Amino acid sequence: MKDRFINQASSDQLIEKLNKYNISLNKSLLIKQYANSFNLYQLLDSLKVLYSKELQALDKQNKSVTSDYLEYILDKIVRENYDVEDSIDPYYLFQELKTEGKSKEKIKQIIERLLRLNNLYHLNHVEGYFGVFEEECEQVIYRLFEDYQALPLTKEETKEFISLVEHFMDCYDRNEELKMNLSLLKLERIASLGDEQEIDTAIQQIKQTYRLSIFVIYTRVLLGTLDLSNNKMFKKYYQKVKQYMVLSDEDKEERAFIDNLYQDVMMDEEE
């Protein structure tokens, strides 16, 4: 019953409900305050401080109306006045980041919004915007790019994806682990284009920047070359990686994956 009322009620009805518990909200003022930051959680936190005693008393009464109403009200007000699907508010961005089955166009739009967000505040790290959420921010952002590159891409779209990754890494340059993982994703897409010089340049850049197993790097190259029309480039880089010595358990694990991948490719070629 409570959820149905919240979903069907207007922001004015929810505000009226809270007024009965000495929490007086001015809708026009809230709209102006939100426009100063476009950050729902920031405004929510300020209201929680302002009405801390009233909200505690409300929760203790254990009634259908709780302190959660504040969030519902703000969400209603924002949706009534703004297009949240184009918003740079981290509250709405994170909701969309967690949505499954996003289209190519939707993913691009979300990435562009993330770039606009950082262009406005220049924090240069995702935790600055999404740290309020319990989940690992970097992993959620990485999955966005991973989902993008897994979609069917033309040669031009692949180049566009590579440029977008580079731009994002420049903007969010304080997220070292995210940058490293995106660099590997970019390498995989570069390999899918089949330009050996560009592949070798990308390999060298990663080797110089990150302390990664050479086998981890070449795994991405080999996976990328599988998108090419023949296995010539795949075989070439497989022979290159075989020249390196296995120096750790991680190397051993990655080398085993590469060898199994090679065997699968050769079997498919024979059929």
PDB file of all heavy atoms in Angstrom, residues 200 203-204 207 212-219 221 236-248 251-252 254-255 258-259:
ATOM      1  N   ASP A 200      51.765  -2.879 -31.796  1.00  0.00           N
ATOM      2  CA  ASP A 200      53.061  -2.896 -31.111  1.00  0.00           C
ATOM      3  C   ASP A 200      53.280  -1.627 -30.291  1.00  0.00           C
ATOM      4  O   ASP A 200      53.830  -1.674 -29.183  1.00  0.00           O
ATOM      5  CB  ASP A 200      54.194  -3.064 -32.133  1.00  0.00           C
ATOM      6  CG  ASP A 200      54.208  -4.456 -32.753  1.00  0.00           C
ATOM      7  OD1 ASP A 200      53.590  -5.360 -32.166  1.00  0.00           O
ATOM      8  OD2 ASP A 200      54.830  -4.631 -33.823  1.00  0.00           O
ATOM      9  N   ILE A 203      51.169  -1.939 -27.172  1.00  0.00           N
ATOM     10  CA  ILE A 203      51.802  -2.898 -26.250  1.00  0.00           C
ATOM     11  C   ILE A 203      52.927  -2.222 -25.472  1.00  0.00           C
ATOM     12  O   ILE A 203      53.026  -2.358 -24.243  1.00  0.00           O
ATOM     13  CB  ILE A 203      52.350  -4.119 -27.024  1.00  0.00           C
ATOM     14  CG1 ILE A 203      51.200  -4.991 -27.534  1.00  0.00           C
ATOM     15  CG2 ILE A 203      53.265  -4.958 -26.124  1.00  0.00           C
ATOM     16  CD1 ILE A 203      51.640  -6.113 -28.459  1.00  0.00           C
ATOM     17  N   GLN A 204      53.773  -1.488 -26.175  1.00  0.00           N
ATOM     18  CA  GLN A 204      54.895  -0.812 -25.530  1.00  0.00           C
ATOM     19  C   GLN A 204      54.430   0.230 -24.514  1.00  0.00           C
ATOM     20  O   GLN A 204      55.008   0.366 -23.435  1.00  0.00           O
ATOM     21  CB  GLN A 204      55.795  -0.154 -26.585  1.00  0.00           C
ATOM     22  CG  GLN A 204      56.590  -1.131 -27.429  1.00  0.00           C
ATOM     23  CD  GLN A 204      57.448  -2.062 -26.576  1.00  0.00           C
ATOM     24  OE1 GLN A 204      58.125  -1.637 -25.633  1.00  0.00           O
ATOM     25  NE2 GLN A 204      57.408  -3.356 -26.899  1.00  0.00           N
ATOM     26  N   LYS A 207      53.297  -1.632 -21.413  1.00  0.00           N
ATOM     27  CA  LYS A 207      54.462  -2.205 -20.721  1.00  0.00           C
ATOM     28  C   LYS A 207      55.217  -1.133 -19.944  1.00  0.00           C
ATOM     29  O   LYS A 207      55.697  -1.375 -18.828  1.00  0.00           O
ATOM     30  CB  LYS A 207      55.403  -2.873 -21.734  1.00  0.00           C
ATOM     31  CG  LYS A 207      54.901  -4.213 -22.255  1.00  0.00           C
ATOM     32  CD  LYS A 207      55.732  -4.729 -23.415  1.00  0.00           C
ATOM     33  CE  LYS A 207      57.172  -5.007 -23.026  1.00  0.00           C
ATOM     34  NZ  LYS A 207      57.937  -5.562 -24.171  1.00  0.00           N
ATOM     35  N   LEU A 212      52.508  -5.138 -15.539  1.00  0.00           N
ATOM     36  CA  LEU A 212      51.613  -6.243 -15.864  1.00  0.00           C
ATOM     37  C   LEU A 212      52.392  -7.403 -16.460  1.00  0.00           C
ATOM     38  O   LEU A 212      53.416  -7.210 -17.124  1.00  0.00           O
ATOM     39  CB  LEU A 212      50.568  -5.785 -16.892  1.00  0.00           C
ATOM     40  CG  LEU A 212      49.404  -4.928 -16.383  1.00  0.00           C
ATOM     41  CD1 LEU A 212      48.638  -4.335 -17.550  1.00  0.00           C
ATOM     42  CD2 LEU A 212      48.468  -5.757 -15.517  1.00  0.00           C
ATOM     43  N   SER A 213      51.898  -8.588 -16.237  1.00  0.00           N
ATOM     44  CA  SER A 213      52.464  -9.761 -16.884  1.00  0.00           C
ATOM     45  C   SER A 213      52.360  -9.595 -18.398  1.00  0.00           C
ATOM     46  O   SER A 213      51.319  -9.180 -18.916  1.00  0.00           O
ATOM     47  CB  SER A 213      51.709 -11.022 -16.444  1.00  0.00           C
ATOM     48  OG  SER A 213      51.940 -12.086 -17.341  1.00  0.00           O
ATOM     49  N   ILE A 214      53.424  -9.911 -19.113  1.00  0.00           N
ATOM     50  CA  ILE A 214      53.412  -9.808 -20.569  1.00  0.00           C
ATOM     51  C   ILE A 214      52.333 -10.708 -21.162  1.00  0.00           C
ATOM     52  O   ILE A 214      51.754 -10.408 -22.212  1.00  0.00           O
ATOM     53  CB  ILE A 214      54.801 -10.150 -21.150  1.00  0.00           C
ATOM     54  CG1 ILE A 214      54.881  -9.760 -22.630  1.00  0.00           C
ATOM     55  CG2 ILE A 214      55.127 -11.640 -20.968  1.00  0.00           C
ATOM     56  CD1 ILE A 214      54.819  -8.292 -22.880  1.00  0.00           C
ATOM     57  N   PHE A 215      52.021 -11.778 -20.448  1.00  0.00           N
ATOM     58  CA  PHE A 215      51.006 -12.708 -20.936  1.00  0.00           C
ATOM     59  C   PHE A 215      49.601 -12.119 -20.816  1.00  0.00           C
ATOM     60  O   PHE A 215      48.736 -12.404 -21.635  1.00  0.00           O
ATOM     61  CB  PHE A 215      51.113 -14.044 -20.202  1.00  0.00           C
ATOM     62  CG  PHE A 215      52.439 -14.739 -20.433  1.00  0.00           C
ATOM     63  CD1 PHE A 215      53.457 -14.647 -19.508  1.00  0.00           C
ATOM     64  CD2 PHE A 215      52.661 -15.455 -21.601  1.00  0.00           C
ATOM     65  CE1 PHE A 215      54.675 -15.266 -19.724  1.00  0.00           C
ATOM     66  CE2 PHE A 215      53.875 -16.084 -21.829  1.00  0.00           C
ATOM     67  CZ  PHE A 215      54.892 -15.984 -20.890  1.00  0.00           C
ATOM     68  N   VAL A 216      49.386 -11.299 -19.799  1.00  0.00           N
ATOM     69  CA  VAL A 216      48.107 -10.592 -19.661  1.00  0.00           C
ATOM     70  C   VAL A 216      47.923  -9.649 -20.850  1.00  0.00           C
ATOM     71  O   VAL A 216      46.835  -9.566 -21.444  1.00  0.00           O
ATOM     72  CB  VAL A 216      48.063  -9.804 -18.336  1.00  0.00           C
ATOM     73  CG1 VAL A 216      46.865  -8.863 -18.315  1.00  0.00           C
ATOM     74  CG2 VAL A 216      48.007 -10.747 -17.149  1.00  0.00           C
ATOM     75  N   ILE A 217      48.987  -8.957 -21.212  1.00  0.00           N
ATOM     76  CA  ILE A 217      48.936  -8.003 -22.323  1.00  0.00           C
ATOM     77  C   ILE A 217      48.653  -8.727 -23.637  1.00  0.00           C
ATOM     78  O   ILE A 217      47.769  -8.337 -24.409  1.00  0.00           O
ATOM     79  CB  ILE A 217      50.257  -7.215 -22.410  1.00  0.00           C
ATOM     80  CG1 ILE A 217      50.447  -6.375 -21.134  1.00  0.00           C
ATOM     81  CG2 ILE A 217      50.268  -6.317 -23.642  1.00  0.00           C
ATOM     82  CD1 ILE A 217      51.816  -5.723 -21.014  1.00  0.00           C
ATOM     83  N   TYR A 218      49.384  -9.807 -23.879  1.00  0.00           N
ATOM     84  CA  TYR A 218      49.219 -10.523 -25.151  1.00  0.00           C
ATOM     85  C   TYR A 218      47.888 -11.268 -25.239  1.00  0.00           C
ATOM     86  O   TYR A 218      47.380 -11.508 -26.341  1.00  0.00           O
ATOM     87  CB  TYR A 218      50.392 -11.480 -25.382  1.00  0.00           C
ATOM     88  CG  TYR A 218      51.538 -10.806 -26.101  1.00  0.00           C
ATOM     89  CD1 TYR A 218      52.497 -10.075 -25.404  1.00  0.00           C
ATOM     90  CD2 TYR A 218      51.659 -10.882 -27.490  1.00  0.00           C
ATOM     91  CE1 TYR A 218      53.540  -9.447 -26.052  1.00  0.00           C
ATOM     92  CE2 TYR A 218      52.709 -10.268 -28.149  1.00  0.00           C
ATOM     93  CZ  TYR A 218      53.640  -9.549 -27.433  1.00  0.00           C
ATOM     94  OH  TYR A 218      54.670  -8.922 -28.099  1.00  0.00           O
ATOM     95  N   THR A 219      47.324 -11.620 -24.100  1.00  0.00           N
ATOM     96  CA  THR A 219      45.990 -12.221 -24.121  1.00  0.00           C
ATOM     97  C   THR A 219      45.003 -11.274 -24.789  1.00  0.00           C
ATOM     98  O   THR A 219      44.183 -11.683 -25.623  1.00  0.00           O
ATOM     99  CB  THR A 219      45.519 -12.556 -22.689  1.00  0.00           C
ATOM    100  OG1 THR A 219      46.340 -13.589 -22.147  1.00  0.00           O
ATOM    101  CG2 THR A 219      44.072 -13.026 -22.685  1.00  0.00           C
ATOM    102  N   VAL A 221      45.688  -8.880 -26.916  1.00  0.00           N
ATOM    103  CA  VAL A 221      46.012  -8.774 -28.335  1.00  0.00           C
ATOM    104  C   VAL A 221      45.412  -9.941 -29.100  1.00  0.00           C
ATOM    105  O   VAL A 221      44.761  -9.771 -30.141  1.00  0.00           O
ATOM    106  CB  VAL A 221      47.546  -8.727 -28.548  1.00  0.00           C
ATOM    107  CG1 VAL A 221      47.873  -8.770 -30.045  1.00  0.00           C
ATOM    108  CG2 VAL A 221      48.137  -7.479 -27.912  1.00  0.00           C
ATOM    109  N   LYS A 236      50.736 -14.884 -35.568  1.00  0.00           N
ATOM    110  CA  LYS A 236      51.958 -14.092 -35.458  1.00  0.00           C
ATOM    111  C   LYS A 236      52.203 -13.669 -34.011  1.00  0.00           C
ATOM    112  O   LYS A 236      53.321 -13.783 -33.491  1.00  0.00           O
ATOM    113  CB  LYS A 236      51.863 -12.865 -36.365  1.00  0.00           C
ATOM    114  CG  LYS A 236      53.157 -12.072 -36.472  1.00  0.00           C
ATOM    115  CD  LYS A 236      53.065 -11.081 -37.618  1.00  0.00           C
ATOM    116  CE  LYS A 236      54.431 -10.472 -37.878  1.00  0.00           C
ATOM    117  NZ  LYS A 236      54.433  -9.624 -39.082  1.00  0.00           N
ATOM    118  N   TYR A 237      51.163 -13.184 -33.345  1.00  0.00           N
ATOM    119  CA  TYR A 237      51.332 -12.724 -31.958  1.00  0.00           C
ATOM    120  C   TYR A 237      51.414 -13.888 -30.983  1.00  0.00           C
ATOM    121  O   TYR A 237      52.018 -13.760 -29.911  1.00  0.00           O
ATOM    122  CB  TYR A 237      50.217 -11.733 -31.584  1.00  0.00           C
ATOM    123  CG  TYR A 237      50.530 -10.350 -32.110  1.00  0.00           C
ATOM    124  CD1 TYR A 237      50.000  -9.906 -33.322  1.00  0.00           C
ATOM    125  CD2 TYR A 237      51.398  -9.511 -31.433  1.00  0.00           C
ATOM    126  CE1 TYR A 237      50.321  -8.660 -33.829  1.00  0.00           C
ATOM    127  CE2 TYR A 237      51.723  -8.249 -31.917  1.00  0.00           C
ATOM    128  CZ  TYR A 237      51.184  -7.836 -33.124  1.00  0.00           C
ATOM    129  OH  TYR A 237      51.523  -6.601 -33.623  1.00  0.00           O
ATOM    130  N   TYR A 238      50.860 -15.007 -31.353  1.00  0.00           N
ATOM    131  CA  TYR A 238      51.032 -16.197 -30.521  1.00  0.00           C
ATOM    132  C   TYR A 238      52.501 -16.624 -30.521  1.00  0.00           C
ATOM    133  O   TYR A 238      53.064 -16.974 -29.468  1.00  0.00           O
ATOM    134  CB  TYR A 238      50.153 -17.335 -31.026  1.00  0.00           C
ATOM    135  CG  TYR A 238      50.356 -18.625 -30.246  1.00  0.00           C
ATOM    136  CD1 TYR A 238      49.886 -18.749 -28.937  1.00  0.00           C
ATOM    137  CD2 TYR A 238      51.038 -19.706 -30.805  1.00  0.00           C
ATOM    138  CE1 TYR A 238      50.080 -19.920 -28.208  1.00  0.00           C
ATOM    139  CE2 TYR A 238      51.235 -20.880 -30.078  1.00  0.00           C
ATOM    140  CZ  TYR A 238      50.752 -20.975 -28.787  1.00  0.00           C
ATOM    141  OH  TYR A 238      50.955 -22.129 -28.067  1.00  0.00           O
ATOM    142  N   GLN A 239      53.145 -16.578 -31.673  1.00  0.00           N
ATOM    143  CA  GLN A 239      54.575 -16.916 -31.765  1.00  0.00           C
ATOM    144  C   GLN A 239      55.423 -15.905 -30.997  1.00  0.00           C
ATOM    145  O   GLN A 239      56.433 -16.266 -30.375  1.00  0.00           O
ATOM    146  CB  GLN A 239      55.013 -16.972 -33.234  1.00  0.00           C
ATOM    147  CG  GLN A 239      54.385 -18.110 -34.030  1.00  0.00           C
ATOM    148  CD  GLN A 239      54.654 -19.476 -33.429  1.00  0.00           C
ATOM    149  OE1 GLN A 239      55.751 -19.752 -32.918  1.00  0.00           O
ATOM    150  NE2 GLN A 239      53.648 -20.352 -33.467  1.00  0.00           N
ATOM    151  N   LYS A 240      55.001 -14.640 -31.016  1.00  0.00           N
ATOM    152  CA  LYS A 240      55.741 -13.604 -30.279  1.00  0.00           C
ATOM    153  C   LYS A 240      55.685 -13.856 -28.773  1.00  0.00           C
ATOM    154  O   LYS A 240      56.702 -13.755 -28.076  1.00  0.00           O
ATOM    155  CB  LYS A 240      55.173 -12.219 -30.588  1.00  0.00           C
ATOM    156  CG  LYS A 240      55.581 -11.660 -31.938  1.00  0.00           C
ATOM    157  CD  LYS A 240      55.130 -10.201 -32.069  1.00  0.00           C
ATOM    158  CE  LYS A 240      55.583  -9.598 -33.381  1.00  0.00           C
ATOM    159  NZ  LYS A 240      55.266  -8.157 -33.481  1.00  0.00           N
ATOM    160  N   VAL A 241      54.501 -14.176 -28.263  1.00  0.00           N
ATOM    161  CA  VAL A 241      54.368 -14.337 -26.823  1.00  0.00           C
ATOM    162  C   VAL A 241      55.055 -15.603 -26.339  1.00  0.00           C
ATOM    163  O   VAL A 241      55.486 -15.702 -25.176  1.00  0.00           O
ATOM    164  CB  VAL A 241      52.873 -14.313 -26.406  1.00  0.00           C
ATOM    165  CG1 VAL A 241      52.173 -15.617 -26.742  1.00  0.00           C
ATOM    166  CG2 VAL A 241      52.724 -14.013 -24.916  1.00  0.00           C
ATOM    167  N   LYS A 242      55.221 -16.596 -27.215  1.00  0.00           N
ATOM    168  CA  LYS A 242      55.902 -17.831 -26.832  1.00  0.00           C
ATOM    169  C   LYS A 242      57.382 -17.600 -26.512  1.00  0.00           C
ATOM    170  O   LYS A 242      58.018 -18.429 -25.866  1.00  0.00           O
ATOM    171  CB  LYS A 242      55.777 -18.864 -27.962  1.00  0.00           C
ATOM    172  CG  LYS A 242      54.422 -19.576 -28.007  1.00  0.00           C
ATOM    173  CD  LYS A 242      54.386 -20.638 -29.085  1.00  0.00           C
ATOM    174  CE  LYS A 242      55.348 -21.773 -28.769  1.00  0.00           C
ATOM    175  NZ  LYS A 242      55.298 -22.849 -29.777  1.00  0.00           N
ATOM    176  N   GLN A 243      57.915 -16.470 -26.958  1.00  0.00           N
ATOM    177  CA  GLN A 243      59.326 -16.165 -26.726  1.00  0.00           C
ATOM    178  C   GLN A 243      59.604 -15.760 -25.275  1.00  0.00           C
ATOM    179  O   GLN A 243      60.754 -15.749 -24.831  1.00  0.00           O
ATOM    180  CB  GLN A 243      59.788 -15.045 -27.660  1.00  0.00           C
ATOM    181  CG  GLN A 243      59.658 -15.379 -29.135  1.00  0.00           C
ATOM    182  CD  GLN A 243      59.934 -14.179 -30.021  1.00  0.00           C
ATOM    183  OE1 GLN A 243      60.499 -13.182 -29.564  1.00  0.00           O
ATOM    184  NE2 GLN A 243      59.537 -14.261 -31.285  1.00  0.00           N
ATOM    185  N   TYR A 244      58.554 -15.407 -24.541  1.00  0.00           N
ATOM    186  CA  TYR A 244      58.734 -14.920 -23.175  1.00  0.00           C
ATOM    187  C   TYR A 244      58.725 -16.071 -22.174  1.00  0.00           C
ATOM    188  O   TYR A 244      58.020 -17.063 -22.341  1.00  0.00           O
ATOM    189  CB  TYR A 244      57.623 -13.923 -22.811  1.00  0.00           C
ATOM    190  CG  TYR A 244      57.713 -12.628 -23.576  1.00  0.00           C
ATOM    191  CD1 TYR A 244      57.019 -12.455 -24.775  1.00  0.00           C
ATOM    192  CD2 TYR A 244      58.495 -11.583 -23.121  1.00  0.00           C
ATOM    193  CE1 TYR A 244      57.093 -11.267 -25.487  1.00  0.00           C
ATOM    194  CE2 TYR A 244      58.576 -10.382 -23.820  1.00  0.00           C
ATOM    195  CZ  TYR A 244      57.874 -10.236 -25.009  1.00  0.00           C
ATOM    196  OH  TYR A 244      57.963  -9.068 -25.711  1.00  0.00           O
ATOM    197  N   MET A 245      59.527 -15.903 -21.125  1.00  0.00           N
ATOM    198  CA  MET A 245      59.610 -16.924 -20.081  1.00  0.00           C
ATOM    199  C   MET A 245      58.483 -16.751 -19.068  1.00  0.00           C
ATOM    200  O   MET A 245      58.079 -15.628 -18.754  1.00  0.00           O
ATOM    201  CB  MET A 245      60.960 -16.832 -19.354  1.00  0.00           C
ATOM    202  CG  MET A 245      62.162 -17.205 -20.194  1.00  0.00           C
ATOM    203  SD  MET A 245      63.697 -17.024 -19.250  1.00  0.00           S
ATOM    204  CE  MET A 245      63.401 -18.163 -17.893  1.00  0.00           C
ATOM    205  N   VAL A 246      58.023 -17.847 -18.539  1.00  0.00           N
ATOM    206  CA  VAL A 246      57.039 -17.833 -17.461  1.00  0.00           C
ATOM    207  C   VAL A 246      57.779 -17.593 -16.154  1.00  0.00           C
ATOM    208  O   VAL A 246      58.649 -18.384 -15.764  1.00  0.00           O
ATOM    209  CB  VAL A 246      56.261 -19.165 -17.404  1.00  0.00           C
ATOM    210  CG1 VAL A 246      55.378 -19.205 -16.177  1.00  0.00           C
ATOM    211  CG2 VAL A 246      55.439 -19.350 -18.676  1.00  0.00           C
ATOM    212  N   LEU A 247      57.445 -16.484 -15.468  1.00  0.00           N
ATOM    213  CA  LEU A 247      58.196 -16.093 -14.273  1.00  0.00           C
ATOM    214  C   LEU A 247      57.373 -16.143 -12.992  1.00  0.00           C
ATOM    215  O   LEU A 247      57.921 -15.969 -11.904  1.00  0.00           O
ATOM    216  CB  LEU A 247      58.760 -14.675 -14.457  1.00  0.00           C
ATOM    217  CG  LEU A 247      59.709 -14.482 -15.655  1.00  0.00           C
ATOM    218  CD1 LEU A 247      60.077 -13.011 -15.790  1.00  0.00           C
ATOM    219  CD2 LEU A 247      60.970 -15.336 -15.480  1.00  0.00           C
ATOM    220  N   SER A 248      56.086 -16.335 -13.110  1.00  0.00           N
ATOM    221  CA  SER A 248      55.239 -16.315 -11.912  1.00  0.00           C
ATOM    222  C   SER A 248      54.019 -17.214 -12.124  1.00  0.00           C
ATOM    223  O   SER A 248      53.761 -17.688 -13.241  1.00  0.00           O
ATOM    224  CB  SER A 248      54.762 -14.888 -11.622  1.00  0.00           C
ATOM    225  OG  SER A 248      53.897 -14.436 -12.657  1.00  0.00           O
ATOM    226  N   ASP A 251      51.799 -15.621 -14.631  1.00  0.00           N
ATOM    227  CA  ASP A 251      52.276 -15.906 -15.993  1.00  0.00           C
ATOM    228  C   ASP A 251      51.834 -17.294 -16.439  1.00  0.00           C
ATOM    229  O   ASP A 251      51.380 -17.495 -17.564  1.00  0.00           O
ATOM    230  CB  ASP A 251      53.808 -15.831 -16.049  1.00  0.00           C
ATOM    231  CG  ASP A 251      54.338 -14.416 -15.969  1.00  0.00           C
ATOM    232  OD1 ASP A 251      53.515 -13.478 -16.026  1.00  0.00           O
ATOM    233  OD2 ASP A 251      55.559 -14.246 -15.847  1.00  0.00           O
ATOM    234  N   LYS A 252      51.997 -18.249 -15.538  1.00  0.00           N
ATOM    235  CA  LYS A 252      51.666 -19.637 -15.859  1.00  0.00           C
ATOM    236  C   LYS A 252      50.186 -19.779 -16.198  1.00  0.00           C
ATOM    237  O   LYS A 252      49.810 -20.477 -17.160  1.00  0.00           O
ATOM    238  CB  LYS A 252      52.021 -20.530 -14.663  1.00  0.00           C
ATOM    239  CG  LYS A 252      51.845 -22.017 -14.918  1.00  0.00           C
ATOM    240  CD  LYS A 252      52.308 -22.827 -13.709  1.00  0.00           C
ATOM    241  CE  LYS A 252      52.140 -24.323 -13.946  1.00  0.00           C
ATOM    242  NZ  LYS A 252      52.578 -25.124 -12.760  1.00  0.00           N
ATOM    243  N   GLU A 254      48.083 -17.371 -17.233  1.00  0.00           N
ATOM    244  CA  GLU A 254      47.759 -16.675 -18.478  1.00  0.00           C
ATOM    245  C   GLU A 254      48.307 -17.426 -19.691  1.00  0.00           C
ATOM    246  O   GLU A 254      47.652 -17.490 -20.737  1.00  0.00           O
ATOM    247  CB  GLU A 254      48.321 -15.245 -18.449  1.00  0.00           C
ATOM    248  CG  GLU A 254      47.565 -14.285 -17.553  1.00  0.00           C
ATOM    249  CD  GLU A 254      46.160 -13.988 -18.041  1.00  0.00           C
ATOM    250  OE1 GLU A 254      45.932 -14.024 -19.273  1.00  0.00           O
ATOM    251  OE2 GLU A 254      45.292 -13.715 -17.201  1.00  0.00           O
ATOM    252  N   ARG A 255      49.512 -17.997 -19.547  1.00  0.00           N
ATOM    253  CA  ARG A 255      50.106 -18.755 -20.646  1.00  0.00           C
ATOM    254  C   ARG A 255      49.240 -19.984 -20.969  1.00  0.00           C
ATOM    255  O   ARG A 255      49.044 -20.323 -22.143  1.00  0.00           O
ATOM    256  CB  ARG A 255      51.532 -19.183 -20.281  1.00  0.00           C
ATOM    257  CG  ARG A 255      52.217 -20.077 -21.320  1.00  0.00           C
ATOM    258  CD  ARG A 255      52.319 -19.390 -22.673  1.00  0.00           C
ATOM    259  NE  ARG A 255      52.766 -20.319 -23.684  1.00  0.00           N
ATOM    260  CZ  ARG A 255      54.048 -20.525 -23.983  1.00  0.00           C
ATOM    261  NH1 ARG A 255      55.014 -19.874 -23.348  1.00  0.00           N
ATOM    262  NH2 ARG A 255      54.375 -21.381 -24.928  1.00  0.00           N
ATOM    263  N   ILE A 258      46.307 -18.795 -22.970  1.00  0.00           N
ATOM    264  CA  ILE A 258      46.724 -18.490 -24.337  1.00  0.00           C
ATOM    265  C   ILE A 258      46.907 -19.768 -25.159  1.00  0.00           C
ATOM    266  O   ILE A 258      46.474 -19.854 -26.311  1.00  0.00           O
ATOM    267  CB  ILE A 258      48.024 -17.653 -24.320  1.00  0.00           C
ATOM    268  CG1 ILE A 258      47.726 -16.235 -23.818  1.00  0.00           C
ATOM    269  CG2 ILE A 258      48.678 -17.606 -25.700  1.00  0.00           C
ATOM    270  CD1 ILE A 258      48.966 -15.389 -23.564  1.00  0.00           C
ATOM    271  N   ASP A 259      47.547 -20.774 -24.561  1.00  0.00           N
ATOM    272  CA  ASP A 259      47.761 -22.043 -25.268  1.00  0.00           C
ATOM    273  C   ASP A 259      46.430 -22.722 -25.600  1.00  0.00           C
ATOM    274  O   ASP A 259      46.255 -23.265 -26.693  1.00  0.00           O
ATOM    275  CB  ASP A 259      48.639 -22.975 -24.431  1.00  0.00           C
ATOM    276  CG  ASP A 259      50.093 -22.518 -24.383  1.00  0.00           C
ATOM    277  OD1 ASP A 259      50.503 -21.765 -25.292  1.00  0.00           O
ATOM    278  OD2 ASP A 259      50.804 -22.905 -23.434  1.00  0.00           O
TER     279      ASP A 259
END
